[in-house]
Amino acid sequence: MGWDLATPFIIDLQVAPEDIDGLGHANNAVYVSWLERCAWRHSQRLGLDLAEYRRLDRAMAVVRHEIDYLAAGYEGDELQLATWIVDWDQRLKMTRRFQLFRPRDGVTLLRAQTTFVCIELSSGKPKRMPTEFLDGYGSALTGG
């Protein structure tokens, strides 16, 4: 497999008919929804699901996406989307990298980086990460 970094968290995807736009390929907005799905599933695997976010009155909110669309996905394509937590300040910010890969031909369709900030759900304001975030997300930190 041609992953950019070691030990990725991976989800499997298939390009559905409703993902296709007027140009005949997967729409760029669909790719963004896949990034969110992958990040959430990874968070859940780390024990940080929506219920835990609510209990802690904290969440990791997207403040920036940087996306390089490298190749098109087409209806029926079976894809794999990987994510890694590559940076964090152990206070407010965390950065994830993503790579979307088509195993059939070994093509990387997308590389992305997303910056998150920890917020207090009740106020929407930035707030320090609780210990549970430090433990959960910290356990997944990889060099990147």
Side-chain angles (χ1 to χ4, degrees), residues 11 13 19 27-40 65 67 69 81 98 110:
I11 63 169
L13 300 164
D19 298 331
N27 185 274
N28 62 319
V30 172
Y31 288 72
V32 175
S33 71
W34 291 341
L35 298 178
E36 179 183 21
R37 183 184 312 169
C38 187
W40 264 117
H65 284 302
I67 302 172
Y69 297 97
L81 181 57
F98 298 89
L110 167 147

Side-chain angles (χ1 to χ4, degrees), residues 23 25 28-29 55 60-62 67 98-99 108 114 117 125 129 142 144:
L23 301 177
H25 56 72
N28 62 319
R55 184 185 76 78
M60 296 305 294
V62 172
I67 302 172
F98 298 89
Q99 181 184 358
T108 292
T114 300
V117 169
K125 296 186 184 305
M129 291 182 200
T142 185

Side-chain angles (χ1 to χ4, degrees), residues 9-79:
F9 175 84
I10 300 167
I11 63 169
D12 295 318
L13 300 164
Q14 184 172 34
V15 181
E18 60 270 18
D19 298 331
I20 304 302
D21 64 17
L23 301 177
H25 56 72
N27 185 274
N28 62 319
V30 172
Y31 288 72
V32 175
S33 71
W34 291 341
L35 298 178
E36 179 183 21
R37 183 184 312 169
C38 187
W40 264 117
R41 287 195 185 157
H42 189 217
S43 289
Q44 291 166 343
R45 173 73 55 87
L46 298 172
L48 297 166
D49 60 11
L50 193 53
E52 185 69 350
Y53 273 24
R54 289 181 179 143
R55 184 185 76 78
L56 296 167
D57 192 29
R58 296 288 188 283
M60 296 305 294
V62 172
V63 294
R64 181 180 174 96
H65 284 302
E66 298 173 64
I67 302 172
D68 293 318
Y69 297 97
L70 305 170
Y74 298 96
E75 186 176 337
D77 276 353
E78 293 185 10
L79 308 174

